[in-house]
Amino acid sequence: MTIKPILDRVLIEPKRKENETKSGIILNASSTERPELGIVVALGSGKTCENETIDFELKINDKVLFNKYAGTEISLYGKDYLILKYCDILAVIE
Amino acid sequence: MTIKPILDRVLIEPKRKENETKSGIILNASSTERPELGIVVALGSGKTCENETIDFELKINDKVLFNKYAGTEISLYGKDYLILKYCDILAVIE
Amino acid sequence: MTIKPILDRVLIEPKRKENETKSGIILNASSTERPELGIVVALGSGKTCENETIDFELKINDKVLFNKYAGTEISLYGKDYLILKYCDILAVIE
Amino acid sequence: MTIKPILDRVLIEPKRKENETKSGIILNASSTERPELGIVVALGSGKTCENETIDFELKINDKVLFNKYAGTEISLYGKDYLILKYCDILAVIE
Amino acid sequence: MTIKPILDRVLIEPKRKENETKSGIILNASSTERPELGIVVALGSGKTCENETIDFELKINDKVLFNKYAGTEISLYGKDYLILKYCDILAVIE
Amino acid sequence: MTIKPILDRVLIEPKRKENETKSGIILNASSTERPELGIVVALGSGKTCENETIDFELKINDKVLFNKYAGTEISLYGKDYLILKYCDILAVIE
Amino acid sequence: MTIKPILDRVLIEPKRKENETKSGIILNASSTERPELGIVVALGSGKTCENETIDFELKINDKVLFNKYAGTEISLYGKDYLILKYCDILAVIE
């Protein structure tokens, strides 16, 4: 069973405290405005609510930075995911 | 008697607690911001208020995730439904 | 004497408690967010304030669902009506 | 001396209590959200602030329904008028 | 020395109490929502912030009605002026 | 070292109390809503955030009126400057 | 490992107190509305959320002024960065 995002939404598996040290990215847990890290799990079609078609500048398995408040949380088989609009993803970590 | 959504609206039959365990999707009831599950019952024409024509990326009987606050509740013959804009549906569960 | 809606407005005669049982639609009176039922009495030209031309997906005598707060109430010869924008009508009941 | 509305504005002479009985339109004075009746006195050019050109679906001497709060009040030689945007006029009473 | 409005702005010399009686326009001083009278002193280029070009439906020396709150006040050699956007001018008094 | 404004921004050196008497422009210090005077020091490219290209109706060394709250203040070698969007400049004083 | 901004975002390394004296730019620490200085570290593709393509008027290693509140803070290997939209960068310091 899979979650297929609609339109220009992206499904992300958040990677919080566990990979911060390895990646060198220190996300200050005390600051709620700092972005979070995650892995891209699924991409929507790229159509927007305004009927434009965008090209995603990221692909499945990319590590991305996003603002947590922008997404909608969901749990599937005990794993947490976020669905958020492509435009709320800030950067790809390569 | 049927409910025919106007424009880009979608009629959804919410599936709450009863199918969470089967589907593996755990929607935390204590969190009001978590999305809900539902089944697509009817689709509008796909025209928007701005006079665009969108292609629905879902079909009748699809299981979808949506933000409950975005829809309008209605009861028909004792069954609850929601009418919401296509753009407020987050993902299809396949 | 008739009321001719301007632009993309629709004139509706609200049908409240009296036809809920017959139609099977139960509108919970205690919930102010539930939509109301009504009959389409007159349609505007279909031009919008943004100078678009829309095609109404409803016709005179259609039974429709709408959000009451969206309309403007008026009384004519003792009958109550609502004038509301086409985009605020949610669905046609067939 | 005349008042010539600019752009898509309409000059209206409000007709309040005096013609309600004759016209059959009962505007509930206790409800501030009910629209008012008026007579169209002058029309602007039909150009909008966004540089569109609209066609007025009303003419001078038409009886119209409008939301009072939307207009700007003015007095000329002891008579009260309202200037309001065409889009805030709800319907023509014929 | 002159004040040259930028874009679609209009420079107006307000005419308050002194000409109300002569013109027959009674602006109720107790109502802050009533518009004010003024004389057009200078016109901008007619370009808007959105890069459109509008045609002014008024000319220098026209007597106009405007909403005071919409303008920015300035004094030049002891005279008061207002700079306001063309779209905030309601009507020309002829 | 110079400050080069980006897009449709304008760099302005504010001229406050010192030149008010000479210019005849009296800016009432007690009124925070009155605009301020300044000299244009540098112009951006004229491209806007919406990807339009505007033509500046002002040039370097022009004396301009602007709303102070619209700009961002900066100090360079002890001199105060403001960076503001072209659209927030009200008029050129000639 | 690098941070690649998405769309029209810019990655900036803030330069606060340490270079203010050298550059001559005095950013008043007591004023939270004053902009900050930074060095451009990486540029996105230049596509916007509205599907436009903009040309950056800055390049890597440029010293820029920006409003701190507009950006999202992140730490990488102990260094602080900001990701912000191109349109929130005010000026280049040359």
Side-chain angles (χ1 to χ4, degrees):
Chain A
M1 198 181 76
T2 59
I3 301 171
K4 193 169 149 248
I6 283 180
L7 294 170
D8 57 342
R9 290 188 187 86
V10 180
L11 184 72
I12 285 173
E13 189 186 336
K15 294 292 183 190
R16 280 157 199 173
K17 297 204 178 60
E18 56 272 29
N19 71 343
E20 287 180 9
T21 314
K22 278 183 228 162
S23 72
I25 294 191
I26 309 303
L27 301 168
N28 190 342
S30 67
S31 163
T32 58
E33 298 200 23
R34 293 231 165 182
E36 291 200 19
L37 278 176
I39 302 295
V40 176
V41 175
L43 297 166
S45 66
K47 294 284 283 244
T48 69
C49 284
E50 289 74 35
N51 219 7
E52 299 273 337
T53 304
I54 54 102
D55 296 317
F56 290 113
E57 301 172 4
L58 42 76
K59 58 187 187 304
I60 290 173
N61 288 324
D62 274 359
K63 188 180 287 186
V64 291
L65 277 169
F66 58 91
N67 282 314
K68 182 189 171 182
Y69 67 82
T72 304
E73 293 179 60
I74 181 175
S75 285
L76 183 68
Y77 293 117
K79 255 192 187 168
D80 287 328
Y81 294 97
L82 270 117
I83 298 175
L84 67 168
K85 292 241 178 187
Y86 171 58
C87 253
D88 293 320
I89 299 179
L90 301 171
V92 177
I93 309 297
E94 291 179 338
Chain B
M1 198 182 76
T2 59
I3 301 171
K4 194 170 149 246
I6 283 181
L7 294 170
D8 56 342
R9 290 188 187 85
V10 180
L11 184 71
I12 286 174
E13 188 186 336
K15 294 291 182 191
R16 281 157 198 172
K17 297 206 177 58
E18 54 272 31
N19 71 342
E20 287 180 7
T21 315
K22 278 183 230 162
S23 72
I25 294 192
I26 309 303
L27 300 168
N28 190 341
S30 66
S31 164
T32 58
E33 298 200 22
R34 293 231 166 182
E36 291 200 18
L37 278 177
I39 302 295
V40 176
V41 174
L43 297 165
S45 66
K47 294 283 284 245
T48 69
C49 285
E50 289 74 35
N51 220 8
E52 298 274 337
T53 304
I54 55 102
D55 296 317
F56 290 112
E57 301 172 6
L58 41 76
K59 57 187 188 306
I60 291 173
N61 288 326
D62 274 359
K63 187 180 287 187
V64 291
L65 278 170
F66 58 91
N67 283 312
K68 182 188 171 183
Y69 66 82
T72 303
E73 293 180 59
I74 181 176
S75 285
L76 183 68
Y77 293 118
K79 255 190 187 168
D80 287 329
Y81 295 98
L82 269 116
I83 298 175
L84 66 169
K85 292 240 177 188
Y86 171 58
C87 253
D88 292 320
I89 299 179
L90 300 172
V92 177
I93 309 296
E94 292 179 336
Chain C
M1 198 182 73
T2 59
I3 301 171
K4 195 171 148 246
I6 284 181
L7 294 169
D8 56 342
R9 289 187 188 86
V10 180
L11 184 71
I12 285 174
E13 189 187 335
K15 294 291 182 192
R16 281 158 198 171
K17 297 205 178 58
E18 55 272 31
N19 71 343
E20 287 180 10
T21 315
K22 278 182 230 163
S23 71
I25 295 192
I26 309 303
L27 300 169
N28 190 341
S30 66
S31 165
T32 58
E33 297 199 25
R34 293 232 164 181
E36 292 200 17
L37 278 176
I39 302 295
V40 176
V41 174
L43 297 167
S45 66
K47 294 283 284 246
T48 70
C49 284
E50 288 75 33
N51 220 8
E52 298 274 336
T53 304
I54 54 103
D55 296 317
F56 290 113
E57 301 172 5
L58 42 75
K59 57 187 188 305
I60 291 172
N61 289 325
D62 274 358
K63 187 180 288 187
V64 291
L65 278 170
F66 57 92
N67 283 312
K68 184 189 170 182
Y69 67 82
T72 304
E73 293 179 60
I74 181 176
S75 286
L76 183 69
Y77 292 119
K79 255 191 187 168
D80 287 327
Y81 295 98
L82 269 117
I83 298 175
L84 66 169
K85 292 240 176 187
Y86 171 58
C87 253
D88 292 320
I89 300 179
L90 301 171
V92 177
I93 310 295
E94 291 180 338
Chain D
M1 197 182 74
T2 60
I3 301 170
K4 194 171 148 247
I6 283 180
L7 294 169
D8 57 342
R9 288 188 188 86
V10 180
L11 185 71
I12 285 173
E13 189 187 336
K15 293 292 184 191
R16 279 155 199 174
K17 298 206 177 58
E18 56 272 29
N19 70 344
E20 288 180 8
T21 315
K22 277 183 230 162
S23 71
I25 295 191
I26 310 303
L27 301 169
N28 190 341
S30 65
S31 164
T32 58
E33 298 199 23
R34 294 229 164 184
E36 293 200 15
L37 278 176
I39 302 295
V40 176
V41 174
L43 297 166
S45 65
K47 294 284 283 247
T48 69
C49 284
E50 289 74 33
N51 220 7
E52 298 274 337
T53 303
I54 54 103
D55 296 318
F56 290 113
E57 300 173 5
L58 43 75
K59 57 187 187 306
I60 290 172
N61 288 324
D62 274 358
K63 187 180 289 186
V64 291
L65 277 170
F66 58 91
N67 283 312
K68 184 189 170 182
Y69 66 82
T72 304
E73 294 180 60
I74 181 177
S75 286
L76 183 68
Y77 292 118
K79 255 192 187 167
D80 287 328
Y81 295 98
L82 269 117
I83 298 176
L84 67 168
K85 292 242 177 187
Y86 171 59
C87 253
D88 292 319
I89 300 179
L90 301 172
V92 176
I93 309 295
E94 289 181 338
Chain E
M1 198 182 75
T2 60
I3 302 171
K4 194 171 150 246
I6 283 180
L7 294 169
D8 57 342
R9 290 189 186 84
V10 180
L11 185 70
I12 285 173
E13 189 186 336
K15 294 292 182 190
R16 280 155 200 175
K17 297 206 177 58
E18 55 273 29
N19 71 342
E20 287 180 7
T21 314
K22 276 183 230 163
S23 71
I25 294 192
I26 309 304
L27 301 168
N28 190 341
S30 65
S31 164
T32 58
E33 298 200 23
R34 294 231 164 183
E36 291 200 18
L37 277 176
I39 302 295
V40 176
V41 175
L43 296 166
S45 65
K47 294 285 283 247
T48 69
C49 285
E50 290 74 34
N51 220 7
E52 299 274 337
T53 304
I54 55 103
D55 295 318
F56 289 113
E57 300 172 6
L58 43 76
K59 56 187 188 305
I60 290 171
N61 288 325
D62 274 358
K63 186 181 289 186
V64 291
L65 277 169
F66 58 92
N67 283 312
K68 184 190 170 182
Y69 66 82
T72 304
E73 293 180 61
I74 182 177
S75 286
L76 183 68
Y77 292 118
K79 255 190 187 169
D80 288 328
Y81 295 97
L82 269 116
I83 298 176
L84 67 169
K85 291 241 177 187
Y86 170 59
C87 254
D88 292 319
I89 299 178
L90 301 171
V92 176
I93 309 295
E94 289 181 337
Chain F
M1 199 183 74
T2 60
I3 301 171
K4 194 172 150 245
I6 283 180
L7 295 170
D8 57 341
R9 290 189 186 84
V10 179
L11 185 70
I12 285 173
E13 189 185 336
K15 294 291 183 190
R16 280 156 200 174
K17 296 205 178 60
E18 56 272 30
N19 71 340
E20 287 179 10
T21 315
K22 277 182 227 162
S23 71
I25 295 191
I26 309 303
L27 301 169
N28 190 341
S30 65
S31 163
T32 57
E33 298 200 23
R34 294 231 164 182
E36 290 199 20
L37 277 176
I39 302 296
V40 175
V41 175
L43 296 166
S45 65
K47 294 285 283 247
T48 69
C49 285
E50 289 74 34
N51 220 8
E52 298 274 337
T53 304
I54 56 102
D55 295 318
F56 289 112
E57 300 173 6
L58 42 75
K59 57 187 189 304
I60 290 172
N61 288 324
D62 274 357
K63 187 181 289 187
V64 291
L65 278 169
F66 58 92
N67 283 312
K68 183 190 170 182
Y69 66 81
T72 304
E73 292 180 61
I74 182 177
S75 285
L76 183 68
Y77 293 118
K79 256 190 187 168
D80 287 329
Y81 294 98
L82 269 115
I83 297 176
L84 65 169
K85 292 239 176 188
Y86 171 59
C87 253
D88 292 319
I89 300 178
L90 302 171
V92 176
I93 309 295
E94 290 180 336
Chain G
M1 198 182 73
T2 60
I3 301 172
K4 194 171 148 246
I6 283 180
L7 295 170
D8 57 341
R9 290 188 186 85
V10 180
L11 184 71
I12 286 173
E13 189 186 337
K15 294 291 184 191
R16 279 155 201 175
K17 297 205 179 59
E18 56 271 31
N19 71 342
E20 288 180 8
T21 315
K22 278 183 226 162
S23 72
I25 295 191
I26 309 303
L27 301 168
N28 190 340
S30 66
S31 164
T32 58
E33 297 200 23
R34 294 230 165 183
E36 290 200 20
L37 277 176
I39 302 295
V40 176
V41 174
L43 296 167
S45 66
K47 294 284 283 246
T48 69
C49 284
E50 289 74 35
N51 220 8
E52 299 273 337
T53 304
I54 55 103
D55 295 318
F56 289 113
E57 300 173 6
L58 42 75
K59 58 188 187 304
I60 290 172
N61 289 324
D62 273 358
K63 187 180 287 186
V64 291
L65 277 170
F66 58 92
N67 283 312
K68 182 190 171 182
Y69 66 81
T72 304
E73 293 179 60
I74 182 177
S75 286
L76 183 68
Y77 293 118
K79 254 191 188 169
D80 287 328
Y81 294 98
L82 269 116
I83 297 176
L84 66 169
K85 292 239 177 188
Y86 171 58
C87 253
D88 292 319
I89 299 178
L90 301 171
V92 176
I93 309 295
E94 291 180 336

